């Protein structure tokens, strides 16, 4: 299976990829491609955008699983910091980060790249702008978080 068939898939580099919700078969392809960790920012309670047992599926494929359920309408600073911690905890591994449509992920990843890796906002948010333009809630959330820039 080609990873590019996963909804809104984007390869950031060799060790980091993002997407919308993968299927069970696509999670198998992610494992076969050598990814070590799956970080999920979507919710588990909406069958339209989640799998029946993603934690169990990911574990059965030999990957680590991190779930940070981010409410799309109300992202929080605690969610963002949990994401930063997960990225740091799995540094040096091949990490696949997803949510329902790669919108939450692209915003959080942009903030991670600016605030933790020192990237310019223009470069850090290229992935996000390739996928979507944030609504008022997300624009305000991003602007507020960027105030923490050194």
């Amino acid at each position: 299976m080609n990873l590019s068939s996963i909804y809104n898939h984007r390869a950031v580099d060799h060790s980091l990829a993002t997407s919308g919700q993968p299927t069970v078969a696509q999670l198998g392809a992610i494992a076969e491609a050598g990814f070590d960790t799956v970080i999920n920012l979507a919710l588990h309670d909406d069958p339209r955008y989640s799998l029946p047992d993603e934690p169990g599926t990911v574990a059965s494929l030999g990957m680590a699983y991190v779930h940070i359920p981010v409410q799309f309408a109300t992202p929080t600073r605690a969610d963002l910091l949990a994401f930063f911690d997960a990225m740091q905890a799995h540094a040096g591994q091949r990490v696949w980060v997803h949510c329902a449509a790669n919108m939450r992920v692209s915003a959080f990843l942009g903030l991670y790249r600016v605030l933790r890796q020192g990237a310019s906002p223009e470069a850090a948010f290229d992935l996000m702008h390739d996928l979507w333009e944030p609504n008022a809630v997300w624009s305000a959330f991003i602007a507020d978080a960027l105030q923490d820039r050194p």
Side-chain angles (χ1 to χ4, degrees):
M1 176 176 292
N2 188 338
L3 296 178
S4 65
S5 68
I6 300 172
Y7 183 63
N8 279 342
H9 166 260
R10 298 296 187 274
V12 177
D13 56 36
H14 175 71
S15 64
L16 179 61
T18 68
S19 71
Q21 177 66 57
T23 65
V24 170
Q26 290 168 336
L27 286 169
I30 290 167
E32 287 175 19
F35 283 86
D36 305 298
T37 301
V38 172
I39 300 174
N40 177 7
L41 302 185
L43 308 180
H44 276 168
D45 61 357
D46 187 338
R48 295 173 302 161
Y49 306 111
S50 62
L51 300 176
D53 183 18
E54 186 168 340
T57 299
V58 170
S60 75
L61 294 166
M63 296 182 290
Y65 182 76
V66 178
H67 185 220
I68 305 165
V70 179
Q71 293 286 339
F72 189 79
T74 55
T76 68
R77 182 61 62 103
D79 296 333
L80 182 63
L81 294 177
F83 174 71
F84 288 179
D85 289 347
M87 291 294 287
Q88 185 61 42
H90 297 280
Q93 298 178 0
R94 295 193 69 209
V95 177
W96 191 284
V97 188
H98 81 82
C99 57
N102 204 356
M103 295 165 91
R104 284 169 265 232
V105 171
S106 61
F108 273 34
L109 185 59
L111 288 167
Y112 178 77
R113 293 173 71 194
V114 171
L115 298 174
R116 296 294 169 98
Q117 296 181 322
S120 73
E122 296 76 23
F125 288 102
D126 276 351
L127 172 73
M128 182 184 74
H129 293 300
D130 181 49
L131 291 164
W132 71 301
E133 289 302 319
N135 63 20
V137 168
W138 281 90
S139 293
F141 179 78
I142 291 165
D144 182 60
L146 286 174
Q147 291 181 25
D148 292 345
R149 195 169 20 162

